[in-house]
Amino acid sequence: MSEAPSWLSDFFQADNSICLESVLKGKYDQLSQGLFSPLIVPASMGQWPFVLPMKTKSGRELFFYGGAQDPRRLSELRSVMRSFLGSADVYPDLLLIKEPETIAEQALLKRSPNGIIKVTLLDQSDTPAKKRVYQALAKMLELYEERPDITVDLVRPTGRILRDFFSACSARDGDAAFRFYEELKGSGKLSRRNLLSLELQAFAAGKQWQDILEHPQLSDLLRGRVPIRVTILLLRALGHSGLYDLCVSQGLSDEATESARAMCIRVNPLFRSPPALESSTSFEDDWKIWAIGASLVGVSGYSKDVPSFIDQGWLASLAEWAGTPETEGPNDVPTITAKPNDLNAITQLLQQSLTASPSELEQIVAQIEALPDEALSRLEQFPRLSELWSSLKAERRASDGGWSSWVEQITQPGPDTDALEQECINSSPYWTSDTFDPHQIRDLLESNNVEDIGIMLRNILPILLSWLDEREISCSAAFWGVWADFLALDDVVTHQDVVIAENILTNFLEQPHTRNEYKQVVEAVELLWEKGSSVSNYGSMLDVIELLLESSCPDKAVLNKLWQSIQAFSLQKWNRLEAAQQHLSKSIACEILGEECLASYPDESSWDEAEETAAAGSDLEGRLVAIYTLTEGAGRRAKAVLEGLFNGLIVETNSDHVATSSLTNLAKKADYFIFSANSSKHQAYYPVSKIRNDLIYPQGKGSSSIINAFLSKVLS
């Protein structure tokens, strides 16, 4: 035992029936020694990464833990472990543990302080499965040891990580968003303020609204000028925490006043000045939340700052409900009458900029910009003032820009792609709809010099998709066809690219399109799949196929060709697919090729054998699951799969476009409610979310996403 590191000894002494000393001295029988040694001996010699078995002394449970020397390598190890283990024997969602729950985990975190990865078997009684997992992990460590030494600590380009991050946020995949956030944090290339903004966006992707409002650094952020992207997140977090109910006059009840006021007072600075939101009906709820907060914290004259499309009757009801008279408050902009380099006068102007209206901001900026250079240079000596002035200038520049001027900069000789990418990330939330010309961007993508700017354009695609979705802007099928081709040309394809492709396809199919345009987009998706085919991407591709099945199909031969490519992969990897994916694959194959194709499929994995342990304690017999989706075929397939997986489970689907009595009654009586309309602005959302706060949200629109969301809920 003396040759083993203390952390390793502590791990094996903590409820672990495997004896470290016996393994290191070769005292186990040949079979056990062959399983234990490839994992334990390298760790005892200090090798990275490590993977260690944990067999509880009761003998009933076996776990595996992995660790690496830094966040980037830990993320890499987690991805490699997923690939080696698949989902036939272990839960595919490998847990990343940063706070120990046991003495054993505490010991491992001394060695791998950035976190440890926990592998849990699906069936703890399946001895052959345990052996397969041991052997797969041993083979993985063997390949790690054979890799050539890496003398440079390589990291992915920041733009690529941000692209994956914004793709995950767009798909509302909070877990993935946080993985990419941690990767960005570990790169050391982003400022503290930028990292905070990204962390809040990751919380929003995971619908962790209270975590946004209770973030320990939020008060520091609110002391300065709040970026519009963060402003929107905070307004929506308030909305999801109860203020959306107040966006209609009927919701302005007396009992809600004090709780709403207390909530808004916590983020009081958010309401000191009107947000830099576009005056568009797509932001109507955001404007209403701001008006609610401004009225509750006592901001005078707030109603003059909201757009004219906000109902005046609702504003009058709001003022009466909040008990704050709508009076105009004096807010004259002071003029620098003292010496032009009078720091007190400049400080007063910058302080007032935090509560200024847009017209008042213009006056403040004009006064400060008119000061001599020596006066402005003095601001650099005071970090607080310098930060205020820099953020104010940045906001004004962003507001003055737009997509048109941004594209024009790209077309100039020798564009600075890094600077343009950052400008799009930071400034696009301020850009208004009238600056966007889809023809201009389409021409850019089809131009001859696109190779020089290709990486930058692919990196900003998720931002453009979210920007268009926020403003409810529709683009032609030809526009989306060009983007599909452009995405398919990328040499490196990740899971997030498949998610983006699904988003592009959704937008394309919502527009009138020709047979040739349909063929172009489907072939681009097929090329993307050929480059990025993997078990982890398979569920997303099933969602893609379902989108095509739900739409009119002008070229069935093209659809069949795509499905045959996906089907060939599924048959090759059949044993690594989840039982639900196997069931769904057969269902889709019957729809596309006919029932005679089932002869080419193997039997499905037994749900009772593969998932019985995971489902223990979740007695679903007689339980009612409600599925709300506007994609009726996806709801129908999800219903068939879930009822086939769980004996006695009752599944009802609903596709009403508004909150009908049928939908609200279903929300009241269901044991589980899956809400698969990807937008919380949907007319059915507010009434349903008011009835229940335990909605299950799929990441995509297809039945695969619906099924995965439900399984994650009941098997977690």
Side-chain angles (χ1 to χ4, degrees):
M1 292 288 287
S2 59
E3 68 271 18
S6 60
W7 65 269
L8 191 64
S9 299
D10 292 343
F11 172 72
F12 280 99
Q13 289 173 358
D15 192 35
N16 198 335
S17 63
I18 301 173
C19 177
L20 176 60
E21 184 177 10
S22 296
V23 174
L24 296 180
K25 293 184 177 181
K27 292 184 176 180
Y28 275 101
D29 61 82
Q30 184 176 358
L31 176 61
S32 299
Q33 194 71 31
L35 296 177
F36 297 155
S37 292
L39 304 185
I40 297 172
V41 172
S44 71
M45 299 172 65
Q47 180 175 310
W48 290 104
F50 68 77
V51 178
L52 295 168
M54 171 78 179
K55 186 177 181 181
T56 59
K57 290 183 178 178
S58 65
R60 290 193 294 267
E61 293 181 303
L62 173 66
F63 305 102
F64 295 87
Y65 289 96
Q69 59 267 55
D70 57 51
R72 182 183 65 81
R73 291 184 175 92
L74 187 67
S75 177
E76 177 191 51
L77 175 64
R78 197 179 183 196
S79 298
V80 173
M81 290 175 76
R82 281 199 190 98
S83 299
F84 268 81
L85 297 175
S87 57
D89 297 322
V90 303
Y91 287 108
D93 188 17
L94 305 183
L95 293 177
L96 181 60
I97 297 171
K98 294 187 176 182
E99 296 294 334
E101 294 184 355
T102 65
I103 296 175
E105 291 174 358
Q106 185 177 3
L108 294 185
L109 285 168
K110 292 179 182 178
R111 176 64 169 163
S112 179
N114 296 297
I116 51 176
I117 303 159
K118 184 175 183 180
V119 179
T120 305
L121 298 172
L122 289 173
D123 187 348
Q124 293 285 356
S125 64
D126 189 342
T127 301
K130 293 178 182 179
K131 184 178 179 181
R132 287 194 297 270
V133 174
Y134 267 111
Q135 292 172 339
L137 292 173
K139 181 63 175 177
M140 182 194 75
L141 289 180
E142 179 184 340
L143 292 176
Y144 259 101
E145 191 173 5
E146 292 175 358
R147 291 197 313 177
D149 290 336
I150 301 175
T151 57
V152 180
D153 190 19
L154 297 176
V155 296
R156 290 203 300 157
T158 303
R160 179 70 211 211
I161 308 173
L162 284 169
R163 168 182 167 182
D164 288 342
F165 174 83
F166 288 120
S167 297
C169 289
S170 178
R172 297 170 178 83
D173 186 347
D175 291 339
F178 262 103
R179 287 201 303 273
F180 298 126
Y181 162 74
E182 291 292 344
E183 189 177 357
L184 288 163
K185 187 178 179 181
S187 72
K189 294 185 178 180
L190 296 179
S191 68
R192 181 181 63 86
R193 194 174 178 85
N194 283 337
L195 284 172
L196 176 56
S197 174
L198 295 176
E199 186 179 10
L200 295 179
Q201 291 174 69
F203 278 135
K207 297 180 174 64
Q208 297 171 250
W209 305 111
Q210 283 303 309
D211 289 323
I212 293 176
L213 297 175
E214 296 172 1
H215 196 287
Q217 297 177 35
L218 188 58
S219 58
D220 293 335
L221 183 66
L222 291 172
R223 289 195 186 102
R225 298 199 65 78
V226 183
I228 186 59
R229 185 178 274 119
V230 176
T231 297
I232 293 173
L233 292 180
L234 291 173
L235 292 173
R236 293 178 182 175
L238 290 168
H240 284 284
S241 299
L243 297 196
Y244 279 139
D245 293 341
L246 310 179
C247 289
V248 293
S249 298
Q250 299 92 313
L252 297 170
S253 58
D254 292 338
E255 57 267 22
T257 309
E258 292 311 312
S259 61
R261 194 189 308 277
M263 193 187 310
C264 293
I265 287 175
R266 288 166 53 195
V267 289
N268 190 334
L270 188 67
F271 308 107
R272 293 178 301 192
S273 61
L277 289 170
E278 187 171 354
S279 293
S280 165
T281 54
S282 59
F283 292 103
E284 180 176 356
D285 285 342
D286 300 315
W287 276 109
K288 283 188 169 183
I289 296 298
W290 179 81
I292 291 168
S295 69
L296 288 171
V297 302
V299 175
S300 299
Y302 63 86
S303 63
K304 66 180 175 59
D305 293 317
V306 300
S308 58
F309 57 75
I310 301 297
D311 181 65
Q312 293 299 310
W314 177 81
L315 282 172
S317 299
L318 174 64
E320 181 180 354
W321 170 78
T324 52
E326 264 292 85
T327 58
E328 294 288 339
N331 201 26
D332 296 331
V333 176
T335 302
I336 299 179
T337 56
K339 295 178 182 180
N341 61 350
D342 184 346
L343 192 61
N344 289 331
I346 300 173
T347 301
Q348 186 180 359
L349 281 174
L350 288 174
Q351 194 63 39
Q352 186 162 348
S353 73
L354 295 174
T355 58
S357 66
S359 61
E360 291 163 348
L361 273 180
E362 295 289 346
Q363 299 177 52
I364 292 172
V365 172
Q367 285 197 65
I368 297 178
E369 287 182 335
L371 294 173
D373 292 341
E374 58 267 24
L376 295 177
S377 64
R378 287 197 64 195
L379 292 178
E380 302 296 331
Q381 304 172 22
F382 302 90
R384 165 72 173 161
L385 298 180
S386 178
E387 182 183 349
L388 275 176
W389 177 231
S390 297
S391 60
L392 180 56
K393 288 190 295 181
E395 182 177 317
R396 303 311 296 166
R397 284 196 303 271
S399 300
D400 292 339
W403 286 104
S404 295
S405 61
W406 185 76
V407 173
E408 287 174 4
Q409 293 179 67
I410 295 176
T411 58
Q412 299 301 313
D416 186 343
T417 54
D418 289 340
L420 286 168
E421 186 174 320
Q422 283 303 308
E423 181 183 352
C424 183
I425 292 172
N426 297 328
S427 300
S428 59
Y430 295 93
W431 295 347
T432 55
S433 302
D434 57 2
T435 68
F436 177 74
D437 182 357
H439 299 289
Q440 185 188 30
I441 292 181
R442 181 180 166 190
D443 291 343
L444 175 65
L445 293 174
E446 294 177 332
S447 63
N448 294 327
N449 64 341
V450 75
E451 287 188 12
D452 299 332
I453 56 173
I455 294 176
M456 185 268 291
L457 289 175
R458 284 191 284 274
N459 286 347
I460 65 94
L461 175 56
I463 297 171
L464 174 61
L465 288 167
S466 295
W467 188 91
L468 293 170
D469 182 60
E470 286 275 5
R471 288 151 184 81
E472 301 174 1
I473 296 175
S474 298
C475 298
S476 67
F479 176 85
W480 296 115
V482 172
W483 271 114
D485 281 343
F486 196 68
L487 183 64
L489 293 176
D490 209 340
D491 293 331
V492 179
V493 178
T494 68
H495 173 67
Q496 299 306 318
D497 293 325
V498 179
V499 173
I500 293 177
E502 183 181 354
N503 195 329
I504 289 175
L505 184 62
T506 300
N507 285 294
F508 171 84
L509 294 173
E510 289 175 351
Q511 304 301 317
H513 50 269
T514 65
R515 180 189 181 95
N516 285 336
E517 288 171 337
Y518 178 91
K519 181 179 179 182
Q520 171 194 353
V521 169
V522 176
E523 287 178 346
V525 171
E526 183 179 359
L527 178 59
L528 194 71
W529 169 245
E530 289 174 357
K531 292 180 179 181
S533 56
S534 67
V535 173
S536 61
N537 284 338
Y538 186 72
S540 295
M541 284 306 298
L542 290 179
D543 282 352
V544 165
I545 287 293
E546 287 192 277
L547 283 173
L548 294 169
L549 287 174
E550 290 300 306
S551 68
S552 57
C553 181
D555 196 328
K556 191 172 182 179
V558 175
L559 173 60
N560 288 357
K561 184 172 179 290
L562 172 61
W563 172 248
Q564 286 168 358
S565 174
I566 297 171
Q567 179 179 256
F569 174 86
S570 70
L571 293 174
Q572 182 183 7
K573 306 290 185 181
W574 188 255
N575 289 331
R576 292 184 59 193
L577 300 182
E578 297 172 1
Q581 291 176 332
Q582 294 173 351
H583 193 124
L584 185 56
S585 298
K586 289 186 174 183
S587 174
I588 292 174
C590 287
E591 286 192 50
I592 297 177
L593 304 175
E595 292 191 6
E596 60 273 12
C597 73
L598 293 179
S600 61
Y601 280 92
D603 292 334
E604 296 171 22
S605 299
S606 169
W607 174 257
D608 291 334
E609 292 179 1
E611 302 287 356
E612 183 177 3
T613 302
S618 298
D619 182 10
L620 297 175
E621 185 174 358
R623 297 290 186 93
L624 172 62
V625 177
I627 299 176
Y628 178 80
T629 174
L630 299 181
T631 310
E632 296 185 25
R636 184 181 67 251
R637 296 182 197 96
K639 171 182 167 67
V641 171
L642 291 177
E643 289 182 340
L645 292 177
F646 296 98
N647 291 329
L649 184 69
I650 304 167
V651 181
E652 291 187 22
T653 63
N654 185 286
S655 301
D656 296 341
H657 285 255
V658 294
T660 61
S661 58
S662 174
L663 177 59
T664 54
N665 287 334
L666 184 59
K668 292 174 183 176
K669 68 180 182 179
D671 296 291
Y672 301 91
F673 197 105
I674 305 171
F675 194 89
S676 184
N678 234 355
S679 174
S680 59
K681 298 177 183 178
H682 193 274
Q683 292 184 43
Y685 174 77
Y686 297 142
V688 172
S689 62
K690 189 173 182 179
I691 293 171
R692 53 193 310 148
N693 58 6
D694 60 345
L695 296 177
I696 301 171
Y697 300 97
Q699 289 178 15
K701 297 180 179 179
S703 57
S704 178
S705 292
I706 294 172
I707 294 164
N708 286 339
F710 180 72
L711 295 181
S712 296
K713 175 70 175 179
V714 299
L715 301 181
S716 58

